Amino acid sequence: MSTPDDGTDDAGGELGYAEAMTELEGILDELEGDHLDVDVLAERVRRASELIKLCRTRISRAQDDVNRIVTDLEVFESELGGAAPVDGDEDELEGDVAAHEGDELF
């Protein structure tokens, strides 16, 4: 079983972004309060630093993944022969998108 200070969850995996943010918010609440023991202060600041690094890493990975996916889609489109919409089709496509913006996917 993992501890809150080791950066993993109970399943043995790395702590998720949402869980890290929740823990970070809790630490921030503690730091903003007057009831934090001075002996615990350095430990909370150290843990907050670890969580911030974890969140930044997660954001960076997600950004890299999105960039890779966009690049892959652009390559796929170019391999299809530049199937970009012609002048009149672009406005039609925007109208279709606008018509379905409120639709739920699931």
Side-chain angles (χ1 to χ4, degrees):
M1 183 167 175
S2 65
T3 64
D5 291 341
D6 68 1
T8 61
D9 62 18
D10 288 336
E14 198 170 283
L15 193 66
Y17 181 85
E19 293 87 2
M21 285 300 296
T22 299
E23 186 177 344
L24 192 55
E25 289 170 0
I27 292 172
L28 183 59
D29 288 343
E30 281 185 84
L31 294 175
E32 289 175 343
D34 293 334
H35 59 277
L36 185 64
D37 187 340
V38 172
D39 297 328
V40 179
L41 179 64
E43 176 59 29
R44 293 295 187 262
V45 171
R46 182 196 61 76
R47 181 61 179 160
S49 174
E50 291 173 357
L51 293 168
I52 290 168
K53 290 176 188 175
L54 184 140
C55 289
R56 286 182 175 169
T57 299
R58 292 290 177 122
I59 290 170
S60 179
R61 282 185 202 159
Q63 186 176 16
D64 290 345
D65 288 346
V66 168
N67 290 339
R68 188 181 74 259
I69 291 167
V70 168
T71 299
D72 289 347
L73 286 173
E74 289 171 349
V75 168
F76 178 71
E77 274 187 4
S78 69
E79 287 174 352
L80 287 177
V86 288
D87 291 336
D89 291 343
E90 189 170 317
D91 290 335
E92 184 178 321
L93 178 62
E94 288 175 6
D96 289 344
V97 170
H100 295 286
E101 282 182 340
D103 294 350
E104 292 186 29
L105 296 176
F106 300 98

